[in-house]
Amino acid sequence: MKQTLTYKILQKHLIEGELKAGSEIGIRIDQTLTQDATGTMAYLQFEAMGIPRVKTDLSVSYVDHNTLQMGFENADDHKYLMTMNKKYGIHYSKAGNGICHQVHVERFGKPGATLLGSDSHTPTGGGIGMIAIGAGGLDVAVAMGGGPFYLTCPKVINVKLEGKLRPWVSAKDVILKVLEILTTKGNVGCVVEYSGSGVAELSVPERATITNMGAELGVTTSLFPSDDITKEFLKAQQREDHWSELKADEDAVYDRVIDIDLGDLKPRVACPHSPDNIKLVSELDGLKVDQVAIGSCTNASYKDLMIAASILKGKKISPDVSLIVAPGSKQVFEMISRNGALSDLIASGARIMESACGFCIGAGQAPVTEGVSVRTNNRNFEGRSGTKSAGIYLVSPETAAVTAIKGVLTDPATMPENEYPKVTIPESFIIDDSMVLKPDFKGDVFRGPNIGEPPFTEPLAEKIIGKINLKVGDKITTDHIMPAGARLKYRSNVPAYSKYVFEGVDPEFSSRAMSDKEKGIFSIIVAGASYGQGSSREHAAICPMYLGVRAVVAKSFERIHSANLINFGIVPFNFKNEADYDTVKQSDDFIIDGIREAVESGSETVTALCGGKTIELSMTLSKRQRDILLAGGLLNYTKAQV
Ligand code: MIC
Ligand code: SF4
């Protein structure tokens, strides 16, 4: 049987189930990664499982999200991570070493291996031919303890790239084109596999830009073959021994094939407030811009910054623009500083930030009121930048740099072809892993006052007696549910963070739900399609659980978030009849009698009494997911198994 690359790697890691699209499978995880904003909770949960050391080939804990240290909370979290990691066998990448996905591809990723990360952009690792998947922290904690990771065996979409990108067009424009075709909705349960002669025209960091932003499609992961280009990259990272050749069989059968001729692509932009709101940059030419930000795990590689620096060299940015540059890793930072490109950026007027997520997660650099901010990152959800009224436009580093000079959104392809900077991947990168601390299985774990207890829930009740405490529309992101930015510092303190659930949508929600919980009334959330888009933050399930949310009823869910809901004992229901969405109202009473029995017996539908009417709800749950819900979440379930 001719196999796709996806199935070849899954086959090698299969522990449970059968490789049949749509069925649940369990796979062995070789490597894990966490970042500080999800990592503290993941490691608290790992500790609660009572396993003495990690059982993966490699686990790395990165500090890249909360590095501002406004107050003691972040610093305390970092020290908790450092001491906990040292003791339990996890590599600790210190603040300043760079953004997890960038560093992982540079220093640790391995073609053909599986990587599970508590961050939705973990699929960046697909750029070197890994099956790299984003998940909630608790799923990652279980994988660190040697447990399988369960997923729906995917359908595989083949994106066939032919031809060669034209000057001023780059990898970002490729993934924006794919987003234009596939959009952010309806791709749950799929993997995107790239192939075709055009693949050989893309360097590893360019491939990583494409797999990184594949997260916005809502797919399980994206990946490229591992070829001579991958080998050269790993050699330049002094890791040639980690290379192996990987590709799909000739004539492998895919569920869908999309053909893209790289030579036809033009610079694109994702307009506010969704990564699939794609236009050609030329259509918005002349839009006045307040801020340009170059960085993030999508576009802050050595090549990205060298291109931006070459464009800006000898020029000044527009007086009306604030230009932010954040290198993706210490390696990138050091290299552009030693070769002088950093000086060119500074001379042009750029403000240089630490190697961290920063502006991408709304940790600093919030735009001006109603501002236009042109950025190279991957998400532009309303309010994520820290300014609700601002519009975020996602572009390539080429578009960003040219725009910073002109002060208005500018199609870089209007520049002379011969002025396009020629930047190649260096034959050797500067290798210095001194900011990654190796574990020695010793020492005490430090716990500052901001570190709370990992949250447990009670087993699923016989009936849900509650009330619809919030009704929202389509495409609710986890940034809507659980804001990051200025609130990030509460990630290890669930009671404190829970005060901000749905802050930007309905600031009263949290107090309303809490006061109902105190009266013994559960909260239900009703939502439209694609509920829980975006990040993997399990706080978008933990904090609602803490507030007494026991069910979410939606037209459809995104993969990571629906798994997180189950992991924390919240039942994800679908409307059997979508028209019922229109008839249910916020504040309606909501009762499901016999929910425990229905989950136990494997029933796929239940009837809810809602505002005096009955509505039919469906549950698409595997046996394992039902058991997790019955136990009151994955932590209870895993503890019972250990
Ligand atoms: C994001 O890009 O939204 C984040 C911040 O990296 C999240 C993780 C988090 O919320 O900590 C993600 O993508 O999973
Ligand atoms: Fe960090 Fe932004 Fe990447 Fe998330 S998307 S990991 S916040 S750089």
Side-chain angles (χ1 to χ4, degrees), residues 139-458:
D139 280 326
V140 177
V142 170
M144 286 190 290
F149 174 65
Y150 293 90
L151 69 156
T152 306
C153 184
K155 289 189 185 159
V156 186
I157 302 175
N158 179 209
V159 175
K160 254 176 130 169
L161 304 174
E162 304 297 340
K164 191 174 165 22
L165 291 168
R166 299 175 53 78
W168 300 103
V169 182
S170 69
K172 185 61 152 287
D173 302 306
V174 178
I175 185 62
L176 292 178
K177 175 72 190 176
V178 177
L179 272 152
E180 183 179 298
I181 299 170
L182 289 174
T183 79
T184 58
K185 283 205 290 189
N187 307 310
V188 175
C190 297
V191 165
V192 177
E193 195 174 301
Y194 290 86
S195 72
S197 62
V199 165
E201 301 293 335
L202 299 170
S203 64
V204 163
E206 290 170 296
R207 297 173 185 186
T209 294
I210 294 172
T211 54
N212 170 283
M213 207 174 168
E216 275 46 74
L217 300 164
V219 294
T220 306
T221 190
S222 307
L223 79 166
F224 275 83
S226 166
D227 56 9
D228 285 345
I229 289 172
T230 323
K231 186 177 180 179
E232 287 307 307
F233 176 82
L234 288 173
K235 189 168 164 205
Q237 293 284 355
Q238 290 176 16
R239 302 204 291 123
E240 200 182 346
D241 52 328
H242 287 173
W243 181 76
S244 55
E245 192 183 16
L246 294 167
K247 58 177 183 220
D249 289 328
E250 296 277 338
D251 306 323
V253 181
Y254 292 92
D255 292 278
R256 178 173 173 189
V257 179
I258 295 171
D259 291 293
I260 294 180
D261 187 336
L262 296 175
D264 288 344
L265 294 182
K266 298 196 170 88
R268 282 177 158 72
V269 49
C271 301
H273 298 287
S274 180
D276 63 357
N277 189 6
I278 310 286
K279 291 202 165 70
L280 293 177
V281 177
S282 57
E283 292 176 69
L284 295 182
D285 237 8
L287 175 74
K288 184 122 182 39
V289 168
D290 300 290
Q291 184 188 55
V292 175
I294 302 175
S296 90
C297 58
T298 321
N299 272 129
S301 68
Y302 172 81
K303 185 169 183 190
D304 291 329
L305 294 204
M306 286 306 293
I307 287 193
S310 314
I311 296 170
L312 288 156
K313 185 173 178 159
K315 311 226 164 56
K316 298 289 174 207
I317 60 168
S318 158
D320 298 336
V321 165
S322 172
L323 171 66
I324 316 297
V325 178
S329 68
K330 172 173 172 288
Q331 183 182 73
V332 173
F333 213 156
E334 190 172 344
M335 288 186 66
I336 63 167
S337 89
R338 290 194 188 277
N339 73 12
L342 182 62
S343 311
D344 296 332
L345 289 167
I346 295 171
S348 76
R351 302 165 62 185
I352 310 299
M353 303 288 143
E354 191 180 13
S355 246
C357 300
F359 68 84
C360 175
I361 185 62
Q365 312 309 321
V368 64
T369 300
E370 290 179 10
V372 170
S373 177
V374 171
R375 300 177 166 205
T376 65
N377 58 299
N378 45 37
R379 289 189 173 141
N380 57 354
F381 306 142
E382 187 176 17
R384 177 175 161 105
S385 65
T387 305
K388 199 167 176 199
S389 64
I392 310 296
Y393 295 76
L394 307 175
V395 300
S396 68
E398 287 83 348
T399 304
V402 174
T403 296
I405 297 168
K406 306 271 183 192
V408 290
L409 192 60
T410 305
D411 180 354
T414 55
M415 307 283 289
E417 281 198 10
N418 61 6
E419 282 180 26
Y420 186 57
K422 284 191 186 46
V423 178
T424 48
I425 302 299
E427 277 174 27
S428 62
F429 289 94
I430 296 176
I431 308 299
D432 171 10
D433 293 327
S434 58
M435 290 192 50
V436 180
L437 310 186
K438 292 207 177 75
D440 61 6
F441 308 97
K442 291 197 190 112
D444 294 326
V445 179
F446 169 88
R447 284 169 224 276
N450 193 43
I451 301 277
E453 290 292 313
F456 282 90
T457 9
E458 65 278 7

